[in-house]
Amino acid sequence: MSYSGPFTAIFRQQLETEWRDKIESLGIILRPNISMKDLLEDPVTTKMWAAASLPNDDLSIENGIIMFGSRRWPLMIDPQNQANKFIKIFGKDSAENGLDVYKMSDSTLLRNLEVAIQYGKWVLIENVGEELDPALEPILLKQVEKGYLRLGDKSIQWSEQFKFLMTSTLPNPHYSPETSVKVTILNFAITPFGLEEQMLNQFVGQEM
C-alpha cells in the first residue's frame, strides 16, 4: 500500500494497471478495475477529511488512506501546503490530547517531543529538508521496549495515542534509501482536479 506513496497520480494509475494485468495473467480472479482506493476507502472517513480541507481527488484520498494506515510515520512532499493545512484542521478534532506544530530547526524540538510522546499528542514537523535528524531515529523506527522509548539519554513512557507527521515544501526532494525505509513518503503535489477544487472553495468562501 505504501509503495505507491512517492509517485504522482498518473504513475500510480499505471502501476495499478500493470498489477491488475499481472494478477490476471496468473489466473487469479479479481474485480474489474479494482483499485486501492476502491478497496480501502471508507466514505464516512473521506467526508471527514474533505471537511478538514483535504481535496476530494483520488490522489489525496489515497494519501489519506496511506497516511493513517501505514506502519511507518508519513513524510509528505507538500509544496502547496495542502497536507499541512489538512493535518492542522483535522488534528484539532481528531487528536484526543492535542496537536503540536514545530519546525525541524526548533532548538527545543526533542524536549517537546518527550512531552508529546508521554502524553499521546500528535506532532507535525514542518519544513523538513532532504535529511532527517539522526536523533529522531528511535521515533521513526518506533523502538519501544516494555512501553518505553529511549530518546537520547532518557526513557520516555510511550503512549499509543502519539502520532508523528512531517511535511516538506520542497517540490522534488531526493531522499536517500536510508531515509525511505524509515518513513512513508507521500506525494501531495497538487493535481489539476485538486487545484480546481481549491480555487472553487476559495471563491465560495469569498462569496460567503
Side-chain angles (χ1 to χ4, degrees), residues 99-119:
L99 168 70
D100 293 337
V101 181
Y102 304 106
K103 290 180 171 54
M104 190 65 78
S105 58
D106 288 347
S107 59
T108 59
L109 178 59
L110 288 180
R111 187 166 55 194
N112 292 329
L113 282 171
E114 292 175 8
V115 176
I117 292 169
Q118 185 174 357
Y119 290 97

Side-chain angles (χ1 to χ4, degrees), residues 159-175:
S159 170
E160 293 297 332
Q161 303 300 320
F162 172 73
K163 288 189 182 300
F164 189 67
L165 310 104
M166 298 162 281
T167 59
S168 173
T169 55
L170 298 174
N172 188 29
H174 296 280
Y175 294 108

